[in-house]
Amino acid sequence: MLKRIFLDPIIYFLLGINVALLLAYYQGVISVETIIYTYYFQSLAIGLSYYIQMLTLTDYSVEGFKINGVQAEKSPKTKGCTTTFFLFHFGFFHLGYLIFLLVSFKFNVDSTFLWSSVIAFAIGECIAVFRRRVENTDEKPNIGTLMFTPYLRIIPMHIFILAGGFLGHTEKTFIIFILLKIISDILMHIVVNKTYKAKATGTEQPPIIQL
């Protein structure tokens, strides 16, 4: 298990980007706002990657996946309905979140650091998606589980970074929250991508959605 985790290049990719941001903040190169908005766009990149994954599924499972209390059928309609629901739900969630950030934190960012980091996070996410597709060719992903998975990754990291933004009145305090975000980011990557397993089973039970 530990061997597979330590051999996962995405973990080092995430660690490298996050540590670079941490050091830049510690050295006074970038602001609190740059950190917060960078992680906001990382969150968008994660959601977009899952939307593309669902949209491009050719073989998938709907076991245990219910829509309005009815067992979903494997069909183009179910796939289209699920991906559209995810796109609007994730999109409106982040629109509201962006409004909240703009009211709470000025958009006082270093655009070079911001977009360089966002592009790096997006590249890492693309590599992770590619590795999942290559390594799990025998797996049938559950489309319902796939729809809710990105929230497992983004919610913990935003809790830590927002807490740091509001409570981190000193540099040292905010650094502690950044470190907690980094730990959360890596741990949830391991859990969500099942890095510790030789192969994913595809037997996860998805949540029930109401449309």
Side-chain angles (χ1 to χ4, degrees), residues 5 8 10-16 18-19 153 180-193 195:
I5 291 175
D8 183 358
I10 306 303
I11 290 176
Y12 300 101
F13 203 89
L14 286 171
L15 185 61
N18 279 294
V19 169
R153 286 192 61 189
L180 290 173
K181 184 270 178 190
I182 295 173
I183 294 171
S184 168
D185 209 2
I186 292 174
L187 286 179
M188 292 314 298
H189 166 79
I190 292 171
V191 170
V192 165
N193 292 281
T195 302

Side-chain angles (χ1 to χ4, degrees), residues 14-154:
L14 286 171
L15 185 61
I17 303 170
N18 279 294
V19 169
L21 287 168
L22 175 62
L23 291 175
Y25 172 74
Y26 179 73
Q27 295 172 356
V29 178
I30 58 177
S31 63
V32 169
E33 290 81 9
T34 299
I35 294 283
I36 290 174
Y37 284 103
T38 296
Y39 290 141
Y40 170 81
F41 285 107
Q42 179 196 4
S43 181
L44 282 178
I46 291 172
L48 180 61
S49 79
Y50 276 88
Y51 173 71
I52 293 173
Q53 286 180 72
M54 287 188 287
L55 202 61
T56 56
L57 284 175
T58 55
D59 195 12
Y60 56 91
S61 168
V62 292
E63 182 181 355
F65 180 43
K66 296 182 179 180
I67 300 178
N68 292 329
V70 179
Q71 172 63 45
E73 296 182 358
K74 184 179 175 181
S75 66
K77 181 179 179 181
T78 295
K79 179 180 171 181
C81 178
T82 304
T83 53
T84 302
F85 176 81
F86 172 78
L87 181 64
F88 277 93
H89 188 277
F90 198 87
F92 277 114
F93 172 81
H94 279 76
L95 175 61
Y97 184 28
L98 178 60
I99 294 172
F100 170 77
L101 289 181
L102 290 173
V103 170
S104 304
F105 303 95
K106 294 180 180 179
F107 197 72
N108 178 28
V109 301
D110 184 307
S111 57
T112 301
F113 269 92
L114 175 69
W115 295 117
S116 297
S117 300
V118 171
I119 291 171
F121 277 126
I123 291 173
E125 194 62 29
C126 289
I127 295 172
V129 171
F130 177 77
R131 291 183 76 243
R132 283 197 295 272
R133 288 288 175 93
V134 170
E135 293 180 359
N136 299 316
T137 54
D138 297 328
E139 177 194 2
K140 276 189 178 183
N142 190 300
I143 194 169
T145 300
L146 200 60
M147 180 178 64
F148 283 90
T149 297
Y151 293 100
L152 297 177
R153 286 192 61 189
I154 68 172

Side-chain angles (χ1 to χ4, degrees), residues 163-176:
F166 285 112
L167 303 177
H169 300 297
T170 66
E171 182 181 271
K172 291 182 179 179
T173 305
F174 189 59
I175 286 175
I176 291 173

